[in-house]
Amino acid sequence: MRGIPRFIESIVGDVSVSYSGGLDSTSVAFWSIAGRGVKAHLHTLDHGYGYLFNSWASRTARSLAASVGEDKVFHQYIKTRDLFDRLAMRSLLPDRVKYGQWFGCCLGCTLAIITKIVLYNLEHGIPHICLGSSVGGEYAVMSKPVSVAAFKQFSGEYGIHYLTPLLEDHIVKSVERSALEDAGVFPGIRFLDKHSFGNQGYCLLSLQHLPDVLFNVHPEYETDSVSRFLEDKLPVCHEYILEQYRKSGRSMADDVARIKEQFDAQRTPAS
């Protein structure tokens, strides 16, 4: 198939996608399936603080499944409020003072969904997590190099490969849209050049970013502040994972080993 990005060469098994239903996350899921034939597990967050039209993500997921095969797409909503509260919402104002900027909500939300997906991947033996961080959106706090590096390291500690395919392969939105349209996948109704409507929900907590959406006025986040936030909050994520394992009685070592075996098998030449 033409137009398959290079990132699929590193995929050794199923992928989990932090899935909004938007153009970026749908494109990542589509290429993973089309290029590697794997199953895409789509995880749409529900943080419990208001998400308008969040059901639109299901509609887009159904459109994707109709194109690539029902057996290649699994979509679910993940409740993240318990961890999101611990990471960000209970300390929103103190964090604003400590780190000097209002990024704790968005970055804490991203950490919560990644942590929940790590747990899902460990349970189901899925070696990859993909986020739809996009070209032109590198200013977003979860897409900054310091954040991507931290997410990669965090996931890697559990044997999981974290990918930002659109950034890594420098795939622009016009290419994403063309690929989905050619495949018959709903890409959303285009508006204001880089945005889409009708395919994803709208987080009420993200209304702070309206100037970006309407006027292309980007927030600027200090790398040192973001780094300090991640250093402070990632231990909370690790502890949360340990708590869930203590409750389940499963062996984390066995789950991590099962995932690492997939990468080892890829590196071992066939005899």
Side-chain angles (χ1 to χ4, degrees):
M1 178 179 290
R2 292 187 306 160
I4 298 299
R6 290 190 305 274
F7 82 88
I8 63 100
E9 297 172 3
S10 64
I11 290 178
V12 301
D14 286 359
V15 299
S16 276
V17 181
S18 179
Y19 189 72
S20 68
L23 178 64
D24 300 324
S25 55
T26 303
S27 297
V28 168
F30 168 73
W31 275 314
S32 298
I33 300 166
R36 214 58 165 175
V38 301
K39 186 172 184 176
H41 302 249
L42 313 180
H43 309 280
T44 302
L45 70 87
D46 176 4
H47 54 46
Y49 287 96
Y51 223 111
L52 299 177
F53 311 116
N54 210 16
S55 63
W56 285 352
S58 294
R59 180 171 65 184
T60 312
R62 289 194 297 270
S63 173
L64 175 64
S67 171
V68 300
E70 299 289 339
D71 62 327
K72 295 297 185 182
V73 176
F74 169 76
H75 178 234
Q76 69 169 346
Y77 289 86
I78 293 184
K79 294 185 181 298
T80 61
R81 181 162 181 170
D82 59 339
L83 182 54
F84 183 37
D85 281 348
R86 289 165 62 173
L87 289 167
M89 297 307 288
R90 291 177 187 166
S91 58
L92 200 59
L93 292 178
D95 283 350
R96 169 64 178 85
V97 174
K98 182 174 182 178
Y99 305 107
Q101 293 182 287
W102 284 110
F103 58 69
C105 178
C106 290
L107 193 50
C109 185
T110 304
L111 279 174
I113 187 62
I114 289 174
T115 302
K116 295 273 188 169
I117 296 175
V118 164
L119 280 164
Y120 178 91
N121 280 20
L122 287 169
E123 181 179 355
H124 295 87
I126 299 170
H128 304 284
I129 295 176
C130 296
L131 251 69
S133 296
S134 62
V135 174
E138 296 91 339
Y139 58 87
V141 68
M142 68 286 295
S143 301
K144 288 178 68 66
V146 64
S147 300
V148 173
F151 299 154
K152 282 182 180 289
Q153 181 176 347
F154 171 66
S155 302
E157 292 186 40
Y158 301 96
I160 297 168
H161 188 199
Y162 178 90
L163 293 165
T164 52
L166 305 178
L167 291 181
E168 291 162 22
D169 285 353
H170 200 76
I171 302 169
V172 297
K173 289 188 182 292
S174 59
V175 173
E176 296 177 57
R177 185 173 292 278
S178 293
L180 294 185
E181 289 176 342
D182 289 347
V185 181
F186 179 54
I189 301 166
R190 182 176 177 180
F191 79 102
L192 295 178
D193 186 38
K194 66 178 182 178
H195 301 288
S196 298
F197 180 79
N199 54 345
Q200 66 184 68
Y202 294 91
C203 170
L204 291 179
L205 297 176
S206 70
L207 291 178
Q208 59 182 308
H209 298 301
L210 273 179
D212 173 34
V213 174
L214 298 176
F215 308 111
N216 226 26
V217 178
H218 307 321
E220 297 290 339
Y221 301 113
E222 296 293 334
T223 296
D224 288 346
S225 295
V226 174
S227 180
R228 286 192 293 115
F229 181 92
L230 290 166
E231 289 174 1
D232 291 343
K233 303 296 183 175
L234 279 168
V236 179
C237 299
H238 286 299
E239 178 57 30
Y240 185 85
I241 290 173
L242 289 174
E243 288 173 5
Q244 304 313 304
Y245 266 91
R246 285 194 288 266
K247 290 177 182 178
S248 71
R250 296 200 324 270
S251 167
M252 183 189 298
D254 289 347
D255 287 348
V256 171
R258 178 170 51 145
I259 288 176
K260 288 184 175 180
E261 284 174 2
Q262 298 182 63
F263 292 103
D264 292 340
Q266 181 79 355
R267 289 191 292 265
T268 302
S271 57

